[in-house]
Structures are given as structure tokens and as C-alpha cells.
Amino acid sequence: MKNIFITGCCGYIGSHTSVELLNEGYEVIGLDNFSNSKPRVLDAIYEITGKKIKFYEGDMLDKNLLKKIFTENKIDAVIDFAAFKSVGDSVNMPIEYYINNVSSVLTLLNVMKEQDVKKIIFSSSATVYGESKIIPITEKCSIGGTTNPYGTSKLFVEKILQDLYKADNTWGICIFRYFNPVGAHQSGLIGEEPNGVPANLMPFISKVATKELKELKVFGNDYNTKDGTGVRDYIHIVDLAKAHVKGIEKLKKDSSGMFIYNLGTGKGYSVLEMINAFEKVNNVKINYKIVERRPGDVAICYADASLAKKELGWSALLGLENMCKDAYNFTQKNINN
């Protein structure tokens, strides 16, 4: 199994995963529509790895384009990253989120079935757990009760994949439930670079540090947490990307099956703890103000990732200092891009 098709290959997680796969000797065929990424990421991936992605520009909803990609390439497995990911935007634009995050996957799976390619890694999210009563969250915790359309879109696709496997158990399906990816590649060439104002914490903090943005809004300080702000499991993007290499190895070894893993560090940090760590590591001041809670946010969410360690041989190695340092390095190097 050598040729991996990555949707959303120029996005935050897709670009870092492409780097790790290329470094491990895999061939990467990539698709992106640049709705939340930039074409120069392709050059950055080449600069880091010395290898090129075979790239197609377009949308995953375009079935004819997907057919073209599958007929022009021998594809062994698919990793799907092509999704909108802002919790806040999903509350305001549910239709757009369901079309992009659910309908597109149905189109992809339809083409995969037609082409007899039955191995896929799907990028899901810890949001499928909703407000979990059990912390840390294990894969056995109940899913559903999602608090926003983004999380619900991931939940729907998980259900679709499970139904697909029940109907045809020759599929090899790996579902990764991400917690909160942060940081950037150590080179500073790729990182989290959302179009417009960032919706996620770390790129927003970085842009406040470089004075591109005036101040950070902290959404709520009245949660039942250590300092009143939301607690999350932040995982370095490079650790997360390397888990996908392990996922491909798993699908290579076990040719069929349904596998579900949490990807996190097992530690929870509050928003204020993240701000303080960023200030300390990078010797900068982060201006922030407390505002009302954001719709759809939960108070506490962090992982038990022991199953991934046991079955994939994977665990997060990079800590909070690396996350803060690498994120700021990327933002400084790309401030005018």
C-alpha cells in the first residue's frame, strides 16, 4: 500500500500529514479547493520533503473530478480532511456545513465503491461526544448529543461509515477523533493559516502576539473549571499527522475492520493557561478580554488516548512549550503572506 489520496491536502492537518507520509516513502495524490488553504503550501511541502504531491484543484462534491483522479492513479487508501471546521460558523451556517462535510463524503464513498478502493481514514472530532459525563473521554463513551452542527456533521459521517462497514465488512475504516490540534511544523513553512479571522485559539493568540489583531476574545469565564475558562486537550499538529501514518500501517496490516481512536495528549489546559504558556515561552504579551460564552462550546474536553497507544503504537510526544513556540514561529515567518 503505497499511493494515498488525501482530500484537503493543503489544509492545516492535510499538509502536515502529507509531509509525514512523503517522509515515510508514500506517494501522495492530493485534492484541495483552497477554500481554507493557500496554493503556496504545495511549494512548502516540496521544500520540506524534496518530494511533490500529484495535485488536483477542485471540490470533493465534483463526482466527475473524483472519478478522473481514481482512474488516473492507482489509489490504495484515502485520508479525508476536506471539511469546514469552525464551531461558531457551523451554528450560523448549518446548511453549508452539512453539504460540505456530509454530502461530499457520500460522493467520495460512492466513487471509492465504484473503483473498489475500500480503505479510508476519516478525520472526525471529539465534538461527537457532546458534553461527556466521563472525563477523560474514552472511545467507549457515548456519542451524540452534539452541541453544534460541525460536531453533528462529523457524527453523521461516523454513522454512515459504520453502516457502510455493516453492509460490507471488506472495508477497512479508521476513524480518528481529534481533540485540539495546535502548533506548526518546526520549519515554520506550514502551519495553521485560516482565511480571514481565525476561529481557533492558537492562531488567534499568535496574531495578537504579532499585533496583526488587537486582542483575543476569551469566550466565557464562568464555566465549572479551574479558572472559569474552557478546558481542552491540545495536541501538536506534527504528533497528530504522524498518527495518520500509523493509521495507514494499521489498514495495511488489518486489511478490513472498523477502528476508532481518540487522538489527544490526555491533558487538559484552560484558555488562560494557554495564554500564559504562550506569553512565557515566546516572551510576548497577549491582550485579551472576557466575552460571553460562544454557542455550542462545552466546558471540559480531554482524551484518554491509551487505545491508540496500545493498537497503533502511537502517542503524543510534543508538549505545550513546543506547541506555543512552533505556532508563533510559523506566524512570524508568514506575517506578510
Side-chain angles (χ1 to χ4, degrees), residues 232-292:
R232 297 291 182 271
D233 187 334
Y234 296 95
I235 176 173
H236 198 293
I237 185 63
V238 172
D239 279 332
L240 189 75
K242 287 180 177 178
H244 294 77
V245 179
K246 295 291 189 182
I248 291 295
E249 290 171 359
K250 176 73 173 173
L251 293 179
K252 192 189 303 185
K253 179 182 154 198
D254 299 325
S255 60
S256 63
M258 166 64 71
F259 311 104
I260 300 174
Y261 301 104
N262 288 338
L263 297 183
T265 64
K267 298 175 184 174
Y269 295 101
S270 74
V271 175
L272 292 183
E273 285 178 320
M274 292 295 287
I275 293 170
N276 292 336
F278 194 98
E279 289 180 330
K280 183 178 178 182
V281 168
N282 296 306
N283 194 27
V284 292
K285 175 66 179 167
I286 303 300
N287 296 317
Y288 69 88
K289 70 174 180 180
I290 307 294
V291 297
E292 288 184 3

Short mmCIF file of all heavy atoms in Angstrom, two decimals, residues 232-292:
data_model
loop_
_atom_site.label_atom_id
_atom_site.label_comp_id
_atom_site.label_asym_id
_atom_site.label_seq_id
_atom_site.Cartn_x
_atom_site.Cartn_y
_atom_site.Cartn_z
N ARG A 232 -9.43 22.29 27.25
CA ARG A 232 -9.32 21.44 26.07
C ARG A 232 -8.01 20.65 26.08
O ARG A 232 -7.05 21.02 26.75
CB ARG A 232 -9.37 22.28 24.79
CG ARG A 232 -10.66 23.03 24.56
CD ARG A 232 -11.81 22.11 24.25
NE ARG A 232 -13.04 22.84 23.99
CZ ARG A 232 -13.92 23.19 24.92
NH1 ARG A 232 -13.69 22.89 26.19
NH2 ARG A 232 -15.02 23.84 24.59
N ASP A 233 -8.01 19.59 25.30
CA ASP A 233 -6.83 18.76 25.10
C ASP A 233 -6.15 19.23 23.82
O ASP A 233 -6.62 18.97 22.71
CB ASP A 233 -7.28 17.29 24.98
CG ASP A 233 -6.11 16.31 24.93
OD1 ASP A 233 -5.01 16.71 24.50
OD2 ASP A 233 -6.32 15.14 25.28
N TYR A 234 -5.05 19.96 23.96
CA TYR A 234 -4.33 20.50 22.81
C TYR A 234 -3.22 19.53 22.41
O TYR A 234 -2.44 19.11 23.25
CB TYR A 234 -3.75 21.88 23.14
CG TYR A 234 -4.82 22.90 23.42
CD1 TYR A 234 -5.24 23.17 24.73
CD2 TYR A 234 -5.45 23.58 22.38
CE1 TYR A 234 -6.23 24.09 24.99
CE2 TYR A 234 -6.45 24.52 22.64
CZ TYR A 234 -6.84 24.76 23.95
OH TYR A 234 -7.84 25.67 24.21
N ILE A 235 -3.18 19.20 21.12
CA ILE A 235 -2.20 18.24 20.62
C ILE A 235 -1.40 18.88 19.49
O ILE A 235 -1.96 19.57 18.62
CB ILE A 235 -2.89 16.94 20.15
CG1 ILE A 235 -1.88 15.97 19.53
CG2 ILE A 235 -4.04 17.23 19.18
CD1 ILE A 235 -2.46 14.61 19.21
N HIS A 236 -0.08 18.67 19.51
CA HIS A 236 0.78 19.25 18.47
C HIS A 236 0.43 18.63 17.12
O HIS A 236 0.28 17.43 16.99
CB HIS A 236 2.25 18.99 18.81
CG HIS A 236 3.20 19.89 18.05
ND1 HIS A 236 3.38 19.81 16.69
CD2 HIS A 236 4.03 20.88 18.48
CE1 HIS A 236 4.27 20.71 16.31
NE2 HIS A 236 4.68 21.38 17.39
N ILE A 237 0.34 19.48 16.12
CA ILE A 237 -0.08 19.05 14.78
C ILE A 237 0.84 17.97 14.20
O ILE A 237 0.38 17.07 13.48
CB ILE A 237 -0.17 20.27 13.83
CG1 ILE A 237 -0.72 19.87 12.45
CG2 ILE A 237 1.17 20.97 13.69
CD1 ILE A 237 -2.13 19.36 12.47
N VAL A 238 2.13 18.02 14.51
CA VAL A 238 3.05 17.01 13.98
C VAL A 238 2.78 15.64 14.61
O VAL A 238 2.79 14.61 13.93
CB VAL A 238 4.52 17.44 14.18
CG1 VAL A 238 5.48 16.31 13.80
CG2 VAL A 238 4.82 18.69 13.35
N ASP A 239 2.50 15.63 15.92
CA ASP A 239 2.08 14.37 16.55
C ASP A 239 0.82 13.83 15.89
O ASP A 239 0.71 12.62 15.62
CB ASP A 239 1.81 14.59 18.05
CG ASP A 239 3.08 14.59 18.89
OD1 ASP A 239 4.06 13.94 18.50
OD2 ASP A 239 3.07 15.24 19.95
N LEU A 240 -0.14 14.71 15.65
CA LEU A 240 -1.40 14.29 15.04
C LEU A 240 -1.16 13.74 13.64
O LEU A 240 -1.72 12.69 13.26
CB LEU A 240 -2.36 15.48 14.97
CG LEU A 240 -3.79 15.16 14.55
CD1 LEU A 240 -4.55 14.50 15.69
CD2 LEU A 240 -4.52 16.42 14.09
N ALA A 241 -0.33 14.41 12.86
CA ALA A 241 -0.04 13.97 11.50
C ALA A 241 0.60 12.58 11.50
O ALA A 241 0.26 11.72 10.67
CB ALA A 241 0.87 14.98 10.81
N LYS A 242 1.51 12.35 12.44
CA LYS A 242 2.20 11.05 12.50
C LYS A 242 1.22 9.92 12.83
O LYS A 242 1.46 8.77 12.43
CB LYS A 242 3.33 11.12 13.52
CG LYS A 242 4.52 11.93 13.03
CD LYS A 242 5.64 12.00 14.03
CE LYS A 242 6.83 12.76 13.43
NZ LYS A 242 7.95 12.90 14.38
N ALA A 243 0.14 10.23 13.52
CA ALA A 243 -0.86 9.21 13.81
C ALA A 243 -1.48 8.67 12.53
O ALA A 243 -1.88 7.49 12.46
CB ALA A 243 -1.95 9.77 14.71
N HIS A 244 -1.56 9.50 11.49
CA HIS A 244 -2.15 9.05 10.23
C HIS A 244 -1.25 8.06 9.49
O HIS A 244 -1.75 7.17 8.79
CB HIS A 244 -2.48 10.25 9.35
CG HIS A 244 -3.56 11.11 9.94
ND1 HIS A 244 -3.32 11.99 10.97
CD2 HIS A 244 -4.89 11.19 9.70
CE1 HIS A 244 -4.44 12.58 11.32
NE2 HIS A 244 -5.41 12.11 10.57
N VAL A 245 0.05 8.21 9.66
CA VAL A 245 0.97 7.20 9.12
C VAL A 245 0.72 5.87 9.82
O VAL A 245 0.65 4.81 9.18
CB VAL A 245 2.44 7.64 9.28
CG1 VAL A 245 3.38 6.57 8.74
CG2 VAL A 245 2.69 8.98 8.59
N LYS A 246 0.55 5.93 11.13
CA LYS A 246 0.23 4.72 11.91
C LYS A 246 -1.11 4.13 11.48
O LYS A 246 -1.29 2.91 11.45
CB LYS A 246 0.21 5.03 13.40
CG LYS A 246 1.56 5.46 13.98
CD LYS A 246 2.53 4.31 14.01
CE LYS A 246 3.79 4.67 14.79
NZ LYS A 246 4.78 3.56 14.79
N GLY A 247 -2.06 5.02 11.15
CA GLY A 247 -3.36 4.55 10.69
C GLY A 247 -3.27 3.81 9.36
O GLY A 247 -3.92 2.77 9.17
N ILE A 248 -2.46 4.33 8.45
CA ILE A 248 -2.25 3.65 7.16
C ILE A 248 -1.59 2.30 7.39
O ILE A 248 -1.96 1.28 6.77
CB ILE A 248 -1.40 4.52 6.22
CG1 ILE A 248 -2.19 5.76 5.77
CG2 ILE A 248 -0.90 3.73 5.02
CD1 ILE A 248 -3.40 5.47 4.90
N GLU A 249 -0.61 2.26 8.30
CA GLU A 249 0.04 0.98 8.62
C GLU A 249 -0.96 -0.02 9.19
O GLU A 249 -0.90 -1.22 8.90
CB GLU A 249 1.19 1.22 9.60
CG GLU A 249 2.38 1.95 9.00
CD GLU A 249 3.41 2.36 10.04
OE1 GLU A 249 3.19 2.09 11.25
OE2 GLU A 249 4.44 2.95 9.65
N LYS A 250 -1.90 0.47 10.01
CA LYS A 250 -2.94 -0.38 10.58
C LYS A 250 -3.83 -0.97 9.49
O LYS A 250 -4.13 -2.18 9.50
CB LYS A 250 -3.78 0.43 11.57
CG LYS A 250 -4.98 -0.31 12.18
CD LYS A 250 -4.56 -1.33 13.20
CE LYS A 250 -5.75 -1.92 13.92
NZ LYS A 250 -5.38 -3.04 14.81
N LEU A 251 -4.23 -0.14 8.53
CA LEU A 251 -5.09 -0.61 7.44
C LEU A 251 -4.33 -1.55 6.50
O LEU A 251 -4.94 -2.40 5.86
CB LEU A 251 -5.66 0.58 6.66
CG LEU A 251 -6.64 1.47 7.42
CD1 LEU A 251 -7.12 2.62 6.54
CD2 LEU A 251 -7.84 0.68 7.93
N LYS A 252 -3.03 -1.38 6.43
CA LYS A 252 -2.20 -2.28 5.63
C LYS A 252 -2.11 -3.66 6.29
O LYS A 252 -2.21 -4.70 5.64
CB LYS A 252 -0.80 -1.68 5.49
CG LYS A 252 0.09 -2.36 4.44
CD LYS A 252 1.53 -1.87 4.51
CE LYS A 252 1.65 -0.38 4.35
NZ LYS A 252 3.08 0.04 4.31
N LYS A 253 -1.96 -3.65 7.60
CA LYS A 253 -1.80 -4.89 8.37
C LYS A 253 -3.13 -5.63 8.52
O LYS A 253 -3.22 -6.83 8.30
CB LYS A 253 -1.25 -4.54 9.75
CG LYS A 253 -1.05 -5.73 10.68
CD LYS A 253 -0.55 -5.24 12.04
CE LYS A 253 -0.95 -6.25 13.11
NZ LYS A 253 -0.89 -5.66 14.45
N ASP A 254 -4.17 -4.90 8.91
CA ASP A 254 -5.51 -5.49 9.05
C ASP A 254 -6.34 -5.03 7.85
O ASP A 254 -6.86 -3.93 7.87
CB ASP A 254 -6.17 -5.04 10.35
CG ASP A 254 -5.36 -5.47 11.57
OD1 ASP A 254 -4.77 -6.54 11.54
OD2 ASP A 254 -5.33 -4.70 12.54
N SER A 255 -6.45 -5.85 6.85
CA SER A 255 -7.00 -5.41 5.56
C SER A 255 -8.44 -4.93 5.65
O SER A 255 -8.91 -4.19 4.81
CB SER A 255 -6.88 -6.52 4.53
OG SER A 255 -7.59 -7.68 4.96
N SER A 256 -9.16 -5.39 6.67
CA SER A 256 -10.52 -4.90 6.84
C SER A 256 -10.82 -4.74 8.33
O SER A 256 -10.16 -5.34 9.17
CB SER A 256 -11.53 -5.87 6.20
OG SER A 256 -11.48 -7.12 6.85
N GLY A 257 -11.83 -3.91 8.61
CA GLY A 257 -12.20 -3.68 10.01
C GLY A 257 -12.67 -2.27 10.22
O GLY A 257 -12.50 -1.40 9.36
N MET A 258 -13.29 -2.04 11.37
CA MET A 258 -13.73 -0.70 11.77
C MET A 258 -12.96 -0.32 13.03
O MET A 258 -13.08 -0.97 14.07
CB MET A 258 -15.24 -0.70 12.04
CG MET A 258 -15.77 0.53 12.77
SD MET A 258 -15.61 2.08 11.85
CE MET A 258 -16.83 1.83 10.57
N PHE A 259 -12.13 0.70 12.92
CA PHE A 259 -11.25 1.09 14.01
C PHE A 259 -11.51 2.56 14.38
O PHE A 259 -11.56 3.41 13.51
CB PHE A 259 -9.78 0.92 13.61
CG PHE A 259 -9.49 -0.42 12.99
CD1 PHE A 259 -9.32 -0.55 11.61
CD2 PHE A 259 -9.41 -1.57 13.77
CE1 PHE A 259 -9.06 -1.78 11.03
CE2 PHE A 259 -9.15 -2.81 13.20
CZ PHE A 259 -8.98 -2.92 11.82
N ILE A 260 -11.66 2.83 15.68
CA ILE A 260 -11.95 4.19 16.14
C ILE A 260 -10.97 4.55 17.25
O ILE A 260 -10.80 3.79 18.22
CB ILE A 260 -13.39 4.29 16.67
CG1 ILE A 260 -14.39 3.95 15.55
CG2 ILE A 260 -13.67 5.71 17.20
CD1 ILE A 260 -15.83 3.89 16.02
N TYR A 261 -10.31 5.71 17.10
CA TYR A 261 -9.29 6.11 18.08
C TYR A 261 -9.42 7.59 18.43
O TYR A 261 -9.63 8.43 17.55
CB TYR A 261 -7.89 5.87 17.53
CG TYR A 261 -7.61 4.44 17.17
CD1 TYR A 261 -7.60 4.05 15.83
CD2 TYR A 261 -7.37 3.48 18.15
CE1 TYR A 261 -7.35 2.73 15.48
CE2 TYR A 261 -7.11 2.16 17.81
CZ TYR A 261 -7.12 1.79 16.47
OH TYR A 261 -6.88 0.48 16.14
N ASN A 262 -9.26 7.90 19.72
CA ASN A 262 -9.04 9.28 20.16
C ASN A 262 -7.60 9.67 19.88
O ASN A 262 -6.67 8.88 20.13
CB ASN A 262 -9.28 9.41 21.67
CG ASN A 262 -10.74 9.30 22.05
OD1 ASN A 262 -11.62 9.52 21.24
ND2 ASN A 262 -10.98 8.98 23.32
N LEU A 263 -7.41 10.89 19.41
CA LEU A 263 -6.06 11.43 19.25
C LEU A 263 -5.94 12.69 20.10
O LEU A 263 -6.49 13.74 19.77
CB LEU A 263 -5.75 11.74 17.78
CG LEU A 263 -5.75 10.55 16.81
CD1 LEU A 263 -5.37 11.02 15.41
CD2 LEU A 263 -4.82 9.44 17.28
N GLY A 264 -5.26 12.57 21.21
CA GLY A 264 -5.05 13.68 22.13
C GLY A 264 -3.87 13.38 23.02
O GLY A 264 -3.21 12.34 22.88
N THR A 265 -3.59 14.26 23.96
CA THR A 265 -2.45 14.07 24.87
C THR A 265 -2.88 13.47 26.20
O THR A 265 -2.05 12.97 26.95
CB THR A 265 -1.76 15.41 25.17
OG1 THR A 265 -2.68 16.25 25.88
CG2 THR A 265 -1.31 16.09 23.89
N GLY A 266 -4.19 13.56 26.50
CA GLY A 266 -4.67 13.11 27.81
C GLY A 266 -4.56 14.16 28.89
O GLY A 266 -4.82 13.89 30.06
N LYS A 267 -4.19 15.40 28.49
CA LYS A 267 -4.09 16.51 29.44
C LYS A 267 -5.00 17.64 29.00
O LYS A 267 -5.11 17.93 27.81
CB LYS A 267 -2.65 17.04 29.52
CG LYS A 267 -1.64 16.02 30.02
CD LYS A 267 -0.24 16.60 29.94
CE LYS A 267 0.80 15.57 30.35
NZ LYS A 267 2.18 16.06 30.15
N GLY A 268 -5.63 18.30 29.97
CA GLY A 268 -6.50 19.42 29.67
C GLY A 268 -5.88 20.74 30.12
O GLY A 268 -5.36 20.83 31.24
N TYR A 269 -5.91 21.74 29.25
CA TYR A 269 -5.43 23.08 29.59
C TYR A 269 -6.55 24.08 29.36
O TYR A 269 -7.26 24.01 28.34
CB TYR A 269 -4.22 23.48 28.75
CG TYR A 269 -2.99 22.64 28.99
CD1 TYR A 269 -2.63 21.62 28.11
CD2 TYR A 269 -2.18 22.86 30.10
CE1 TYR A 269 -1.50 20.84 28.33
CE2 TYR A 269 -1.04 22.10 30.33
CZ TYR A 269 -0.71 21.09 29.44
OH TYR A 269 0.41 20.33 29.67
N SER A 270 -6.70 25.04 30.27
CA SER A 270 -7.71 26.08 30.10
C SER A 270 -7.20 27.13 29.11
O SER A 270 -6.00 27.20 28.80
CB SER A 270 -8.03 26.74 31.44
OG SER A 270 -6.97 27.60 31.83
N VAL A 271 -8.13 27.97 28.66
CA VAL A 271 -7.75 29.05 27.74
C VAL A 271 -6.72 29.98 28.39
O VAL A 271 -5.72 30.36 27.77
CB VAL A 271 -8.99 29.85 27.29
CG1 VAL A 271 -8.58 31.05 26.44
CG2 VAL A 271 -9.97 28.97 26.53
N LEU A 272 -6.95 30.32 29.65
CA LEU A 272 -6.00 31.22 30.33
C LEU A 272 -4.64 30.55 30.52
O LEU A 272 -3.60 31.23 30.43
CB LEU A 272 -6.57 31.68 31.67
CG LEU A 272 -7.80 32.60 31.61
CD1 LEU A 272 -8.22 33.05 33.00
CD2 LEU A 272 -7.54 33.82 30.71
N GLU A 273 -4.62 29.26 30.77
CA GLU A 273 -3.34 28.54 30.87
C GLU A 273 -2.61 28.58 29.54
O GLU A 273 -1.37 28.71 29.51
CB GLU A 273 -3.58 27.10 31.32
CG GLU A 273 -3.90 26.95 32.79
CD GLU A 273 -4.18 25.51 33.19
OE1 GLU A 273 -4.84 24.78 32.41
OE2 GLU A 273 -3.75 25.12 34.29
N MET A 274 -3.34 28.45 28.43
CA MET A 274 -2.71 28.52 27.11
C MET A 274 -2.12 29.91 26.86
O MET A 274 -0.99 30.04 26.35
CB MET A 274 -3.72 28.17 26.03
CG MET A 274 -4.18 26.73 26.03
SD MET A 274 -2.84 25.56 25.65
CE MET A 274 -2.63 25.85 23.90
N ILE A 275 -2.87 30.93 27.22
CA ILE A 275 -2.36 32.30 27.05
C ILE A 275 -1.09 32.51 27.87
O ILE A 275 -0.09 33.04 27.38
CB ILE A 275 -3.44 33.33 27.47
CG1 ILE A 275 -4.62 33.28 26.49
CG2 ILE A 275 -2.86 34.74 27.52
CD1 ILE A 275 -5.83 34.07 26.96
N ASN A 276 -1.12 32.08 29.12
CA ASN A 276 0.05 32.25 30.00
C ASN A 276 1.26 31.49 29.48
O ASN A 276 2.39 31.99 29.52
CB ASN A 276 -0.30 31.79 31.42
CG ASN A 276 -1.31 32.69 32.10
OD1 ASN A 276 -1.45 33.86 31.73
ND2 ASN A 276 -2.05 32.15 33.06
N ALA A 277 1.04 30.26 29.00
CA ALA A 277 2.15 29.46 28.46
C ALA A 277 2.74 30.11 27.23
O ALA A 277 3.96 30.18 27.06
CB ALA A 277 1.66 28.05 28.14
N PHE A 278 1.88 30.63 26.36
CA PHE A 278 2.34 31.29 25.13
C PHE A 278 3.18 32.52 25.47
O PHE A 278 4.24 32.76 24.88
CB PHE A 278 1.14 31.69 24.27
CG PHE A 278 1.49 32.07 22.87
CD1 PHE A 278 1.36 31.16 21.83
CD2 PHE A 278 1.93 33.35 22.56
CE1 PHE A 278 1.69 31.49 20.53
CE2 PHE A 278 2.26 33.71 21.26
CZ PHE A 278 2.13 32.78 20.24
N GLU A 279 2.71 33.30 26.44
CA GLU A 279 3.45 34.51 26.85
C GLU A 279 4.83 34.13 27.40
O GLU A 279 5.84 34.78 27.07
CB GLU A 279 2.66 35.26 27.92
CG GLU A 279 1.42 35.96 27.40
CD GLU A 279 0.65 36.71 28.47
OE1 GLU A 279 0.70 36.28 29.66
OE2 GLU A 279 0.02 37.73 28.15
N LYS A 280 4.87 33.10 28.22
CA LYS A 280 6.12 32.70 28.86
C LYS A 280 7.12 32.14 27.86
O LYS A 280 8.30 32.53 27.84
CB LYS A 280 5.82 31.65 29.93
CG LYS A 280 7.03 31.21 30.72
CD LYS A 280 6.64 30.21 31.81
CE LYS A 280 7.89 29.74 32.58
NZ LYS A 280 7.52 28.74 33.61
N VAL A 281 6.66 31.24 26.98
CA VAL A 281 7.56 30.57 26.03
C VAL A 281 8.12 31.57 25.01
O VAL A 281 9.30 31.51 24.66
CB VAL A 281 6.81 29.43 25.30
CG1 VAL A 281 7.62 28.92 24.12
CG2 VAL A 281 6.52 28.29 26.27
N ASN A 282 7.27 32.49 24.56
CA ASN A 282 7.67 33.39 23.48
C ASN A 282 8.02 34.81 23.95
O ASN A 282 8.36 35.66 23.11
CB ASN A 282 6.56 33.46 22.43
CG ASN A 282 6.32 32.12 21.76
OD1 ASN A 282 7.25 31.52 21.23
ND2 ASN A 282 5.09 31.63 21.80
N ASN A 283 7.94 35.03 25.25
CA ASN A 283 8.29 36.34 25.82
C ASN A 283 7.51 37.47 25.15
O ASN A 283 8.08 38.48 24.69
CB ASN A 283 9.80 36.60 25.72
CG ASN A 283 10.24 37.75 26.60
OD1 ASN A 283 9.62 38.06 27.61
ND2 ASN A 283 11.32 38.42 26.19
N VAL A 284 6.20 37.30 25.09
CA VAL A 284 5.32 38.31 24.50
C VAL A 284 4.14 38.56 25.44
O VAL A 284 3.91 37.80 26.38
CB VAL A 284 4.79 37.86 23.12
CG1 VAL A 284 5.91 37.82 22.09
CG2 VAL A 284 4.07 36.52 23.22
N LYS A 285 3.41 39.62 25.15
CA LYS A 285 2.21 39.94 25.92
C LYS A 285 0.97 39.72 25.05
O LYS A 285 0.93 40.18 23.90
CB LYS A 285 2.27 41.40 26.39
CG LYS A 285 1.01 41.89 27.09
CD LYS A 285 0.78 41.20 28.41
CE LYS A 285 -0.46 41.73 29.11
NZ LYS A 285 -0.88 40.87 30.23
N ILE A 286 0.00 38.99 25.56
CA ILE A 286 -1.23 38.73 24.83
C ILE A 286 -2.38 39.53 25.48
O ILE A 286 -2.74 39.28 26.63
CB ILE A 286 -1.58 37.22 24.82
CG1 ILE A 286 -0.45 36.40 24.23
CG2 ILE A 286 -2.89 36.98 24.07
CD1 ILE A 286 -0.09 36.73 22.81
N ASN A 287 -2.89 40.49 24.74
CA ASN A 287 -4.04 41.25 25.22
C ASN A 287 -5.31 40.44 24.99
O ASN A 287 -5.52 39.89 23.90
CB ASN A 287 -4.15 42.59 24.48
CG ASN A 287 -2.97 43.49 24.75
OD1 ASN A 287 -2.51 43.60 25.89
ND2 ASN A 287 -2.45 44.12 23.71
N TYR A 288 -6.15 40.35 26.00
CA TYR A 288 -7.40 39.62 25.84
C TYR A 288 -8.50 40.26 26.66
O TYR A 288 -8.24 41.03 27.59
CB TYR A 288 -7.23 38.15 26.24
CG TYR A 288 -7.01 37.90 27.72
CD1 TYR A 288 -8.09 37.73 28.59
CD2 TYR A 288 -5.72 37.85 28.26
CE1 TYR A 288 -7.89 37.49 29.95
CE2 TYR A 288 -5.50 37.63 29.61
CZ TYR A 288 -6.60 37.45 30.45
OH TYR A 288 -6.41 37.23 31.80
N LYS A 289 -9.74 39.93 26.29
CA LYS A 289 -10.88 40.37 27.10
C LYS A 289 -11.87 39.22 27.18
O LYS A 289 -11.99 38.40 26.26
CB LYS A 289 -11.53 41.63 26.53
CG LYS A 289 -12.27 41.44 25.22
CD LYS A 289 -13.00 42.73 24.85
CE LYS A 289 -13.77 42.57 23.54
NZ LYS A 289 -14.48 43.80 23.15
N ILE A 290 -12.56 39.16 28.30
CA ILE A 290 -13.58 38.13 28.52
C ILE A 290 -14.89 38.59 27.88
O ILE A 290 -15.33 39.72 28.09
CB ILE A 290 -13.81 37.88 30.03
CG1 ILE A 290 -12.48 37.58 30.75
CG2 ILE A 290 -14.82 36.75 30.22
CD1 ILE A 290 -11.81 36.30 30.34
N VAL A 291 -15.48 37.70 27.07
CA VAL A 291 -16.78 37.99 26.46
C VAL A 291 -17.74 36.83 26.78
O VAL A 291 -17.35 35.87 27.45
CB VAL A 291 -16.66 38.20 24.94
CG1 VAL A 291 -15.79 39.40 24.63
CG2 VAL A 291 -16.13 36.95 24.25
N GLU A 292 -18.96 36.94 26.31
CA GLU A 292 -19.95 35.90 26.59
C GLU A 292 -19.53 34.55 25.99
O GLU A 292 -18.77 34.50 25.02
CB GLU A 292 -21.31 36.30 26.02
CG GLU A 292 -21.98 37.43 26.78
CD GLU A 292 -23.38 37.72 26.24
OE1 GLU A 292 -23.82 36.99 25.32
OE2 GLU A 292 -24.01 38.65 26.73
#
